[in-house]
Amino acid sequence: MQRMKKQRNEIVVPEGAEEVLLHACCAPCSSAIVEWMLAHGVRPVIFYFNPNIWPREEYEIRKEESKRHAESLGLRWIDGDYDHERWLEAVKGLEGEPERGGRCLQCFTYRLTVAALQAKALGIQYFTTTLASSRWKRLDQIAEAGQHAQERVEGVTFWAQNWRKGGLQERRNELLRQYDFYNQQYCGCEFSQRS
């Protein structure tokens, strides 16, 4: 079992995690997490991998905002590329599931497995996700998806963290205004627009 060192505000940094691959769904959700990490000696590498987002125009807007944010902080930002057709294949048969249902778990597992592969390719042991900052997502699904990804990709560890803690939700809202981020009103996929 991994030894963890406690940080205040219920956020726990894995021991030795000086660099982390941060799967980022969007700039607003990553802003407070990135700020917290930098303040606590953890350097995030931002990995933008969100083939679930539809339509393509929406994806591009979110992508550019994420890139702008990372560049403003001098952080490495990686584009995971857009392949919506492959994502549709990954969630096939789950299109009618409600938001927070089986389709979401499959979506998270797919995206976090690709994030784990990216972390391994970069030689980064830990990976985590901004998905765990959204009050619209189920933390148990994100933790399960991260665990599946960790099991599928040898040599990497999922940093399961509730990124809503420690005032980060409030700070996210402040940074949203400060950076004048585009703030989407739905999760991303065409199926989430129906909910």
Side-chain angles (χ1 to χ4, degrees):
M1 184 78 167
Q2 185 106 358
R3 284 186 38 211
M4 305 286 227
K5 62 181 180 181
K6 285 256 182 204
Q7 295 285 353
R8 61 186 185 87
N9 297 328
E10 300 179 298
I11 296 177
V12 179
V13 178
E15 193 170 300
E18 295 173 6
E19 186 177 45
V20 170
L21 183 105
L22 176 62
H23 167 261
C25 59
C26 64
C29 287
S30 56
S31 59
I33 297 169
V34 166
E35 182 181 76
W36 188 94
M37 285 182 172
L38 291 172
H40 291 84
V42 178
R43 188 149 186 91
V45 172
I46 310 297
F47 181 53
Y48 184 81
F49 181 67
N50 303 292
N52 58 303
I53 298 174
W54 183 87
R56 178 72 186 243
E57 295 77 20
E58 177 75 15
Y59 170 85
E60 292 296 335
I61 292 168
R62 294 186 199 191
K63 176 176 124 176
E64 289 308 313
E65 286 290 85
S66 176
K67 187 175 182 183
R68 174 174 71 96
H69 177 241
E71 288 175 349
S72 76
L73 298 171
L75 296 174
R76 184 171 182 189
W77 183 89
I78 299 169
D79 184 353
D81 295 328
Y82 184 74
D83 189 342
H84 190 66
E85 291 304 314
R86 181 173 278 183
W87 177 82
L88 285 170
E89 208 41 53
V91 299
K92 191 172 185 165
L94 301 169
E95 298 88 349
E97 285 278 313
E99 202 61 9
R100 298 175 141 204
R103 182 186 67 250
C104 294
L105 175 60
Q106 183 61 28
C107 174
F108 302 157
T109 301
Y110 175 69
R111 289 157 69 199
L112 292 182
T113 299
V114 173
L117 289 165
Q118 183 68 54
K120 183 173 183 158
L122 295 171
I124 300 173
Q125 179 181 353
Y126 295 99
F127 70 103
T128 191
T129 181
T130 61
L131 293 169
S133 70
S134 173
R135 61 192 176 106
W136 305 110
K137 306 279 184 270
R138 285 181 36 199
L139 292 173
D140 63 319
Q141 285 185 330
I142 295 163
E144 183 179 341
Q147 186 62 39
H148 284 312
Q150 176 181 301
E151 290 166 2
R152 291 176 181 171
V153 182
E154 189 176 333
V156 296
T157 306
F158 180 62
W159 177 4
Q161 180 63 59
N162 178 351
W163 292 109
R164 303 172 196 163
K165 297 286 186 182
L168 292 185
Q169 190 67 39
E170 295 79 12
R171 184 62 181 147
R172 172 203 185 276
N173 294 333
E174 291 169 7
L175 290 168
L176 183 118
R177 289 186 294 277
Q178 182 181 319
Y179 280 93
D180 192 28
F181 285 134
Y182 166 73
N183 190 31
Q184 63 281 353
Q185 299 302 313
Y186 68 103
C187 175
C189 77
E190 55 267 48
F191 312 115
S192 69
Q193 287 183 317
R194 294 192 308 235
S195 300

